[in-house]
Amino acid sequence: MHGHHHHHHHHDGDTPEYADLSVPERELRPLDVSRRRFLRNAGLLGAAVAGGGALTAGTASASTWDSPGRYQWLAGDHHIHTQYSNDAMYTVEQQVSGGVRNGLDWMVITDHGYLAHEKYAVQQTYADVLASRRRHRGLLLWQGLEWNTPAAEHATVFFDCTRDEAQMLQTFEQLFDGNVNGTNPSSPANEAIAVQGLKWLDQQVRSGKINSALFLANHPSRNGRLSPHELRNWRDTAPHIAVGMEGSPGAQADSTPVALGGNGAARGGYSNSPGVDSWPGYPLELYRTHGGFDWMTAKLGGLWDSMLAEGKGWWITSNSDSHRNFGDTLTNASPDSDYNSTGKHLDPVDSGVRHSWADFWPGQYSRTVVGATDRSYRAVMDGIRNGRVWVAMGGLLAGLEVTVFSDEGGWPVTLGGRTSVRCGGNVTVLIVARLATRPNAGGSIPRLARMDLIQGMVTGPVADRDTFATPSVKVAQSFDTRRGNVAVFQHTFRNVRDPFYVRLRGTDGNVHADGSIEPRMDPAGGVDPWSDLWTYSNPIFVDVR
């Protein structure tokens, strides 16, 4: 805990200390530091505040604590395919240019693990990634892998950029990819191989061969294959590597109705039913998205909440899963070419015919916004690892800043953070939501109608690792956000007795489940993805002393 020095400063009028920028930040109580930061983030410092005179301009250091204003909030996508995937077609540069065009700051190329990919494609992809890095100096671009996780589904795996990143990726794929090694079917033996893969990554980090690695489970509910115990096993095996899952899957354009030029399939390609490799304990509603989000995330008190209720981080992201993009006329030039002998499809050609079933370009619809200490590979990975992430569809939010602090002066924290309060104390959540002011790629300016502050109690480790529900989750307060371009609100939890976490969820308010404020299960026959937009934040934990 930092020491405090209390000096008395002369104040003009009745300006409170936190609003008087002649008072150094180090001399303020943490609560007042938070108030100052909150006012600055809301654009209110430099104007009069209630009970105070004119405020002077100035800048304070935020290096000692965890406010949202400490970070650069960088938008990205960690699930993108190119011509080096057996089922995709774009060049690396076409996907990168698409992401840059849609305002992304960072991207991860994640072609599918595959025999020909491991044998031929990894080094070819790396050369293209290096060329795109040179062409787009402001972009952070990784080469990763969509790992066919043994016994499970797919996952993004990527490393901090090092000399040997391509070689390390190829070695990992050789050793542990389910397609390469025939370990895809669900079985305890194959589950153990997935855990071995995570342990191997952990060993490479510990030995200094790679600086850091991340694993994020992709489209977790699509086939019902990810059992709750597998998610927990991954997280507990390598908690600094296996850090989360896609809260909403890509392939959202799949759902575009025929009348709008689409094919009216299911959002995210979530149109499946239980199969031989599916975990049998799940309800059928898991196999569909809910407001475009995966059931594990969208279900209040569901699997995501049951993992958070253990008091451990498990973070969500949102991505394009781009293979071929809606409305684009490029098409695979070589449907009969032997990908298996080269690990690469020929560059796509213009067919003149727009794709009706398809994905969105990276950043065109979904984005994962990460709080990074600077614009670097390491900082973005650390931001993801620490849960400083919020996600949004369709440009529903332009910005989100969340600060949580206790009334006795515990240091404020933001998304992914952890603060503490003495038993019986109060905890305040301050939220600044910056609303959209420009049209999204669907051609309209989306309006955030409501923000829900969700509270879940932390109840500790589960006895049954296949638990996928927790009863003690509720919407603590809903805020109407339809006025102005910045919505500022706060909520105080009083007389706190037990540890808990908070997270945020927002909606354009167009579609809900019947008689409820919960998201609706998406219909199998398709829905305009621009007509039902949601945003979610990762949690902040509150411990009780």
Side-chain angles (χ1 to χ4, degrees), residues 404-407 421 425-429 491-494 496 500 542:
V404 173
F405 54 86
S406 58
D407 57 2
V421 63
N426 300 332
V427 172
T428 297
V429 184
H491 179 90
T492 298
F493 296 92
R494 301 190 183 281
V496 171
F500 67 99
V542 178

Side-chain angles (χ1 to χ4, degrees), residues 9 23 48 54 79 214 222 225 236 242 251 257 273 301 343 349 351 376 400-401 454 459 473 499 534:
H9 292 260
V23 180
H79 190 176
L214 285 175
R222 189 176 64 175
R225 297 197 55 187
D236 293 347
S273 53
V349 297
S351 68
S376 68
L400 179 65
E401 299 176 359
I454 295 168
T459 50
V473 180
W534 292 78

Side-chain angles (χ1 to χ4, degrees), residues 455-508:
Q455 178 189 22
M457 303 313 293
V458 171
T459 50
V462 288
D464 175 5
R465 289 176 72 82
D466 276 322
T467 299
F468 60 85
T470 181
S472 50
V473 180
K474 65 181 181 186
V475 175
Q477 189 172 348
S478 291
F479 304 93
D480 187 308
T481 55
R482 278 177 281 223
R483 291 174 298 281
N485 292 331
V486 180
V488 180
F489 36 85
Q490 72 177 52
H491 179 90
T492 298
F493 296 92
R494 301 190 183 281
N495 191 21
V496 171
R497 298 279 166 184
D498 299 295
F500 67 99
Y501 62 88
V502 291
R503 60 182 182 84
L504 287 166
R505 174 184 72 184
T507 173
D508 60 6

Side-chain angles (χ1 to χ4, degrees), residues 3 23 27 33 54 107 272 294 322 370 377 386 507 509 534:
V23 180
E27 295 182 11
V33 174
M107 300 170 68
N272 303 310
D294 187 288
S322 169
V370 178
Y377 290 96
N386 291 310
T507 173
W534 292 78

Side-chain angles (χ1 to χ4, degrees), residues 59 74 154 205 269 282 338-339 350 357 370 402 476 478:
T59 308
L74 304 178
H154 300 159
V205 174
Y282 286 131
D338 196 359
Y339 173 89
D350 197 332
W357 67 273
V370 178
V402 187
S478 291

